[in-house]
Amino acid sequence: MSLDGRIALSSGGKANIGGKGDREALEKALSWSDATLMGSGTLNAHESTCLIHNQKLINQRGHEKRSSQPISIIVSQKAAFSEDWAFFKQPISKWILTPNKNHRLIQSGFDRHLIMEEKWTQTLNKIYNEGISKIVLLGGMKLISSLLLEDRIDELQLTFSPKILAGKYTWTHTAINNLPVQLTQAEAWKLKDIKDLGANEVMLSYIRNRF
């Protein structure tokens, strides 16, 4: 994000704010995960998902008997996307998570279709029952905010890029006014690490302190 907490230019659309160090940090997170979770708005903006390109990280996953890439789970209300997007050509298992039980709405580019439950806690339990316990949340704003509202995020990994962007595109929804009170407490998040990523970028990692 920018120094003022923005994740896109004020005009909106695709924005690649982070530099090389941020990309390396992202790939390390992906290598740790079983799956990624991304909202349909973010997929629509980028038309692709993040992949691991570092061969050492890919080899490490192979040694651990895991697929070369984490599963990509897309959260969507509409469940219909352009098949011309690079996403559908990426070498990755693609799942879709929707509130709609009508399988006819799900295009052939997805390998699995999961139905969302009323609460994220229940939905995450369903995903866990599929063998997925480590999830990297890729955004966007609405998806992140919905998980924060149920206090379902265990770690924040925030890279600050030396830019001021302004505008309305922040990483959490500005209309949220009913977060769980425990998230607002001084000890809600415990600092895990501070990393200098080079090029004047810094990454802060915080762990949810569930005291």
Side-chain angles (χ1 to χ4, degrees), residues 69-129:
Q69 305 288 338
I71 296 166
S72 176
I73 303 176
I74 303 300
V75 183
S76 177
Q77 295 285 338
K78 61 178 183 178
F81 308 96
S82 172
E83 295 185 2
D84 294 330
W85 289 354
F87 175 73
F88 292 103
K89 300 177 179 63
Q90 289 180 296
I92 192 169
S93 181
K94 305 167 187 70
W95 295 13
I96 190 163
L97 180 64
T98 77
N100 197 316
K101 297 182 180 181
N102 190 342
H103 288 263
R104 291 177 296 177
L105 295 178
I106 309 304
Q107 61 196 82
S108 60
F110 289 97
D111 303 298
R112 292 286 306 278
H113 176 204
L114 300 180
I115 305 300
M116 295 177 67
E117 301 295 333
E118 183 177 352
K119 298 289 186 179
W120 267 115
T121 298
Q122 300 166 326
T123 302
L124 291 173
N125 283 338
K126 175 181 285 189
I127 294 173
Y128 178 80
N129 290 335

